[in-house]
Every structure is written in C-alpha cells, then in structure tokens.
Amino acid sequence: MKTKLTRVCVYCGSSSRVNQSYLDAARELGMVIAQHKLTLVYGGANVGCMGAIADAALAAGGDVIGVIPKGLVEKEVAHQGLTELHIVDDMHQRKALMAELSDAFIAAPGGLGTLEELFEMATWAQLGFHTKPMGLYNVNHFFDGLVGFLSHARQEGFLADAHLSLFNCEQSPKQLIEQLETQASISQDKWW
Ligand code: AMP
C-alpha cells in the first residue's frame, strides 16, 4: 500500500514559559509544513508552541486543523483563526480524531501531554494498529535524553530494534518532513 503524506499531526508544548528558541523552532516547523503543501493537525490551542506553530503555518498559507476537548477551550484558549476547529468531548476523542485525520506524527518539544500523545501513537504502531511514520523534532537536542533512554530499554531487552527505529529524530524541520514523506511513500511492507 502506498500512502502520500497530506496531513501531519504535531504534538507540542502548551507552556509559554519556555525559551524563545522553542517558540521560534515551532514557527519554523509550521512554515515548513505549509511550504510542503501539508495540512497541520494539532491540539487546537493558541498558547505556547501550539499557538506558535499554528500561526506560522497559517501565515505561510497552509491549512490547519485543531482538535480540542470542550473542557479545554478556555483553559488552553482555542485558536479562533484555524481552517477547521473540532471541539470534542474529551482527551480520548481528541487523540483518536487527531490520529485518524493524520498520515504522520511529530513530537516537538513539550511536556507530559506531548509525551503521552507521542507514546500512545508509538504503542499503537508497535501493536500494528497503524503504520504511519513518526518523528521527533529535536530542537536544542531536546529529545537526546529520551532517545538515550529508549536505547537503554532496547539494550535491556524491553524494546525491539524495529520499534526503536520508529522515531525519526531530526533537528532540521525540512529534513524531518522530507524523511516522513519518503517513508510514507515507500511500500509499507518494506519498512515496517
Ligand atoms: P504539554 O506537552 O503537557 O504542554 O501538553 C500539550 C498538549 O497535550 C496540550 O494541549 C494538552 O491538553 C494535551 N494533553 C495532555 N494530556 C493529554 C491526554 N491525556 N490526551 C490528549 N491530550 C493531552
């Protein structure tokens, strides 16, 4: 089966109390996604790196789909300028809809929410529920420690090589997107 990348989901931090370089990097990724004619799917908030990536993708002429639970519309300040905003009942529906709408998943720097979303998609891939490519946007080496920990888990026998290699780890947003595009277009049996 061949898949063309059309919609990319980005999980990223909602905190605004982060170094400016993370917000700038989120903007760069949003711009690159739009330049590659891809639609951004994200959590629908207008705060932190989430707001930054959405604004940049929209400013570069891209389409952006947000998915936010009704309980967070005020807390995370739902973005009012998106191409589409889906307001769902709860976190489970949010993750399920984001997964369904997207052909690939990227985790950018973020906190517990970002990691939880990333690992849910990774465990679904491990179980064979999807074969969509996944990436880590390694701004400022943010994910080096996580990749090191996963390598440790593999060495200790808890993780297979194939599952460790699920994570395409890149500092350059352009390279990351192009890697995901290549993986999505390869016959999935070859890489999965
Ligand atoms: P954080 O990385 O903690 O700043 O969170 C990033 C985004 O993930 C925010 O929009 C959170 O609402 C969201 N999030 C946190 N926990 C969950 C969850 N269990 N399911 C879905 N989204 C979540």
Side-chain angles (χ1 to χ4, degrees), residues 12-14 50 72 76 91 94-95 110-114 116-117:
C12 60
S14 56
M50 297 176 76
L72 287 183
E76 292 194 349
M91 293 296 207
R94 179 196 230 179
K95 278 184 296 189
L112 293 177
T114 301
E116 198 264 353
E117 292 168 316

Side-chain angles (χ1 to χ4, degrees), residues 20-185:
Q20 184 66 33
S21 59
Y22 290 109
L23 298 166
D24 291 343
R27 285 188 196 101
E28 206 186 331
L29 178 58
M31 193 180 70
V32 168
I33 287 172
Q35 285 169 347
H36 282 70
K37 311 278 179 239
L38 300 169
T39 295
L40 169 67
V41 176
Y42 86 116
N46 200 8
V47 290
C49 291
M50 297 176 76
I53 192 170
D55 285 342
L58 291 165
D63 287 338
V64 181
I65 301 175
V67 184
I68 195 163
K70 56 187 176 202
L72 287 183
V73 164
E74 283 182 26
K75 191 168 174 237
E76 292 194 349
V77 195
H79 198 301
Q80 297 303 327
L82 304 177
T83 318
E84 279 175 37
L85 178 67
H86 297 267
I87 299 177
V88 295
D89 285 339
D90 54 36
M91 293 296 207
H92 296 295
Q93 282 188 12
R94 179 196 230 179
K95 278 184 296 189
L97 183 58
M98 288 168 80
E100 192 186 311
L101 289 172
S102 309
D103 311 307
F105 307 100
I106 293 173
L112 293 177
T114 301
L115 294 173
E116 198 264 353
E117 292 168 316
L118 167 74
F119 279 113
E120 179 157 44
M121 283 313 107
T123 52
W124 288 6
Q126 179 175 277
L127 295 170
F129 297 164
H130 75 82
T131 52
K132 300 175 183 180
M134 306 192 47
L136 300 175
Y137 181 30
N138 201 18
V139 179
N140 298 343
H141 298 278
F142 184 82
F143 287 110
D144 285 1
L146 182 67
V147 171
F149 174 75
L150 292 173
S151 300
H152 171 67
R154 182 183 55 79
Q155 268 159 20
E156 296 297 313
F158 289 100
L159 213 71
D161 283 345
H163 300 143
L164 187 61
S165 62
L166 282 171
F167 302 97
N168 295 279
C169 191
E170 286 291 341
Q171 291 185 50
S172 149
K174 187 168 180 291
Q175 276 175 21
L176 181 57
I177 292 298
E178 288 172 5
Q179 214 164 316
L180 297 180
E181 282 183 327
T182 304
Q183 279 195 348
S185 70

